[in-house]
Amino acid sequence: RVLFRSIKEILLALDPDQLTLDQHQSLLDMLPTDEEEELLLPFKGQDNGTLGKAEQFMLTMMEVDRVRIRAQCWMLQRQFMRELSDLRSRVDTLNQAIVQLQTCKSFTKVLETVLAVGNALNEGSARGAATAFKLSSLTKLKQTTSKDRRISLLHYLAIVISKQVPEAATFPQDVNLAKQASLIHLDAIEAEVRTLEAGLELLSQEVNRLRIEQKHLEVVVESDRFQTLMADFCVTGKTDLTAFQSLIANTWESFRSLLTYLGEDRAAYVPAELFALISDFAKDMEKVQQEIQSKTFKMPKFKPAETDEKVKDNNNKNDSNISNSNSNNNISNSNNISDNISNSKSDSMSSIQSGVHAQIKQRPLIDGAPVLNGPIIAVSVDDS
């Protein structure tokens, strides 16, 4: 019973040094429910020596007015700042990732090169001279492969970058925050904020109720610090929460501005989706960069696409060039770039690289922002 009295005094004094968070949670699990309080009410104020320890404990706790709600409010106060700090840290990381991607010059160069490569491969065809592509096309680059599946269009992109656009080669490292940002769900954070907001409202109601009751009490328990401490916390907590909600709203706006900068619809992605796409693309790019730098990698020989007119004239002459004669302009009627790979021992990729280089020089980005709201990458991909 002495221990029970000590716990009661801790609940009145709200002394965090006397009760760890784990102990606090255990105490919440043991406090009487409304139904249990109703059953024990006839025993309140009587000699309870005949009752069990659990019932004695509950009766002692019932000496504290609305003890369960009080303990819940105290737990909210103790956890509030830690939870808000964790949420703010996640939102800060997301904001940093947004700024990093929007100011990433190597990413801009990669996008330029993707467009240039697609146009060079399809020069003179119906799918050539594209002015834009969707970001979702980036994930298709590794799906377009040679017949032997040894290399993909992403390999070729990495080769072009290494030889023609070396300033874009650091892209995977320059967007290192994308992976972290892909795990941050703003809608889930907003839901957690609503939970904190509801807890603060409950706490505010309890503080107001206690303030009104104390006006009619002849004797006020001096050791009871609930009203004083929680009233101050309600003010600071609401201020901090309002500021954080403003931060979330600004983050949404920054993200939508990023989508506009990238030429996508402002509702096309949520942050986790976009950064997952960027993170996966960066990971794939880094992997193929390592592969083409390995000693075992054999540099392929590429030939540029022929014009539609030339394809008609040479329909049966050279099956190794890109075929653009089918209605869908797919590469060799399959999901590969096999006929781009020449077995010739001549100068590797010199002609197509010249075309890519020229397009990179001739197609600057508008105001530094890629135009991505048009058709997909010029090289066709058979999704089937």
Side-chain angles (χ1 to χ4, degrees), residues 96-161:
Q96 291 168 16
I98 290 171
V99 173
Q100 183 184 70
L101 186 60
Q102 191 159 351
T103 59
C104 184
K105 294 181 179 180
S106 58
F107 180 52
T108 300
K109 288 296 182 182
V110 167
L111 297 179
E112 281 187 303
T113 309
V114 170
L115 184 60
V117 166
N119 282 333
L121 289 172
N122 291 278
E123 185 178 1
S125 72
R127 296 182 72 88
T131 59
F133 65 92
K134 290 288 187 180
L135 281 179
S136 57
S137 299
L138 295 175
T139 61
K140 298 179 181 180
L141 298 180
K142 69 176 183 179
Q143 299 170 7
T144 306
T145 63
S146 60
K147 273 185 177 179
D148 59 8
R149 303 286 179 179
R150 190 170 61 86
I151 73 163
S152 66
L153 189 54
L154 186 59
H155 284 86
Y156 177 61
L157 176 66
I159 293 169
V160 171
I161 286 174

Side-chain angles (χ1 to χ4, degrees), residues 69-223:
I69 292 180
R70 171 188 289 258
Q72 290 172 341
C73 289
W74 187 26
M75 177 63 85
L76 169 67
Q77 186 256 353
R78 297 183 71 178
Q79 292 182 325
F80 182 88
M81 293 310 299
R82 184 177 67 175
E83 292 183 11
L84 193 59
S85 177
D86 175 66
L87 294 176
R88 185 180 290 110
S89 176
R90 283 189 267 167
V91 174
D92 286 344
T93 297
L94 182 55
N95 276 308
Q96 291 168 16
I98 290 171
V99 173
Q100 183 184 70
L101 186 60
Q102 191 159 351
T103 59
C104 184
K105 294 181 179 180
S106 58
F107 180 52
T108 300
K109 288 296 182 182
V110 167
L111 297 179
E112 281 187 303
T113 309
V114 170
L115 184 60
V117 166
N119 282 333
L121 289 172
N122 291 278
E123 185 178 1
S125 72
R127 296 182 72 88
T131 59
F133 65 92
K134 290 288 187 180
L135 281 179
S136 57
S137 299
L138 295 175
T139 61
K140 298 179 181 180
L141 298 180
K142 69 176 183 179
Q143 299 170 7
T144 306
T145 63
S146 60
K147 273 185 177 179
D148 59 8
R149 303 286 179 179
R150 190 170 61 86
I151 73 163
S152 66
L153 189 54
L154 186 59
H155 284 86
Y156 177 61
L157 176 66
I159 293 169
V160 171
I161 286 174
S162 67
K163 291 180 175 294
Q164 302 268 2
V165 201
E167 62 270 32
T170 59
F171 156 68
Q173 295 75 40
D174 294 343
V175 293
N176 61 303
L177 292 176
K179 178 61 177 178
Q180 289 176 260
S182 71
L183 304 176
I184 298 171
H185 300 269
L186 266 186
D187 52 347
I189 290 176
E190 288 177 317
E192 292 184 60
V193 169
R194 288 192 292 270
T195 299
L196 291 177
E197 193 173 26
L200 271 180
E201 180 59 29
L202 172 66
L203 179 53
S204 180
Q205 292 174 3
E206 190 65 13
V207 168
N208 291 333
R209 185 201 66 82
L210 183 58
R211 184 177 63 251
I212 294 171
E213 283 190 358
Q214 285 183 342
K215 292 180 180 180
H216 301 86
L217 292 177
E218 295 182 1
V219 179
V220 177
V221 180
E222 293 185 1
S223 61

Side-chain angles (χ1 to χ4, degrees), residues 5 26 28 38 43 55 57 67 72 83 90 115 120-121 155 174 204 225 231 284 287 317 350:
R5 294 289 175 187
S26 297
L28 277 171
E38 187 175 349
F43 299 94
E55 289 77 13
F57 169 77
V67 63
Q72 290 172 341
E83 292 183 11
R90 283 189 267 167
L115 184 60
L121 289 172
H155 284 86
D174 294 343
S204 180
R225 302 176 62 227
D284 292 339
K287 180 180 178 182
K317 290 183 180 179
S350 59

Side-chain angles (χ1 to χ4, degrees), residues 268-288:
Y269 295 93
V270 296
E273 293 172 344
L274 175 67
F275 284 106
L277 185 155
I278 299 300
S279 176
D280 290 345
F281 178 59
K283 182 179 178 181
D284 292 339
M285 173 67 78
E286 188 170 32
K287 180 180 178 182
V288 299

Side-chain angles (χ1 to χ4, degrees), residues 245-261:
Q245 287 171 321
S246 296
L247 176 63
I248 292 177
N250 291 336
T251 301
W252 272 117
E253 185 56 34
S254 296
F255 177 70
R256 291 175 183 130
S257 295
L258 172 64
L259 290 177
T260 300
Y261 171 79

